[in-house]
Each structure stands twice: as C-alpha cells, then as structure tokens.
Amino acid sequence: MADDSTITIRATFETREAADLALEHLVQQHGISRPDIFIQSASDRNSAGSAPSGGDAFHDDGARRDAPLEGEIEVSVDIASRQVAAVQRSLRAAGAVRVSSR
C-alpha cells in the first residue's frame, strides 16, 4: 500500500527573489500547482525580505532603501510524503536559509 500522507514543508529566504525562484522550482521540477504554494512574510511585519535583491539591489545610486526589509520570506507547501527529500533539496538549492517539515 502506498503512503499518500501529506507533509507541510516550510522554508525561509532572505530575499523575495529567492522565494520566487523556489516557487518556480516547485512548479517546474515537482509539478506542484501554484495555488498550492504560499509565500508570505515569516513574521508579523510587512516584508520584502531581509536583504535587497532584484530590482531593489541594482540602481545607479546603489540599493534602494525604501523597500520594507523587515525580515525573511516564508514559502510553504503541502506535498506527498514521498516528495519530501526532493522538495527540501530544491528549496535549499534556491537559497533557503531554513527548511522544516511537519
């Protein structure tokens, strides 16, 4: 009998850019539907991450200072238990600073 239990994976990222990359890995490499992936601030504060990235990082005058860099970004997804190891590897490859499951 196959194990069809569901596990929630949570990963935190320093930048929104890395969280978006993780989302793309989950969709393209693991076939997870976008509506099943959640991206939010890892704290109760509005945040675009804890470090400038993407369009916020590269300007003639240096990194933008008006982005809400108030903390990390969390990506969470419910997956089949058989996918845990592969999904954790993908999240780390995308730049996760922490990955947990429950």
Side-chain angles (χ1 to χ4, degrees):
M1 179 175 214
D3 180 7
D4 60 352
S5 60
T6 301
I7 305 288
T8 300
I9 301 285
R10 285 189 170 78
T12 54
F13 297 86
E14 291 183 338
T15 65
R16 177 62 191 228
E17 180 181 35
D20 287 340
L21 179 62
L23 178 139
E24 292 304 320
H25 282 220
L26 294 172
V27 170
Q28 294 175 14
Q29 294 175 359
H30 303 285
I32 299 170
S33 178
R34 283 180 190 256
D36 294 332
I37 304 167
F38 302 92
I39 299 177
Q40 63 187 15
S41 174
S43 70
D44 60 352
R45 302 197 64 176
N46 182 29
S47 181
S50 58
S53 67
D56 291 336
F58 304 104
H59 288 277
D60 293 336
D61 299 326
R64 290 181 56 179
R65 308 249 185 264
D66 60 342
L69 300 176
E70 303 291 338
E72 296 171 332
I73 304 295
E74 178 184 87
V75 174
S76 63
V77 59
D78 292 334
I79 59 170
S81 60
R82 62 181 161 67
Q83 295 178 288
V84 170
V87 167
Q88 287 177 334
R89 280 192 302 274
S90 288
L91 293 170
R92 286 186 182 101
V97 293
R98 277 181 304 288
V99 178
S100 65
S101 61
R102 63 177 182 126

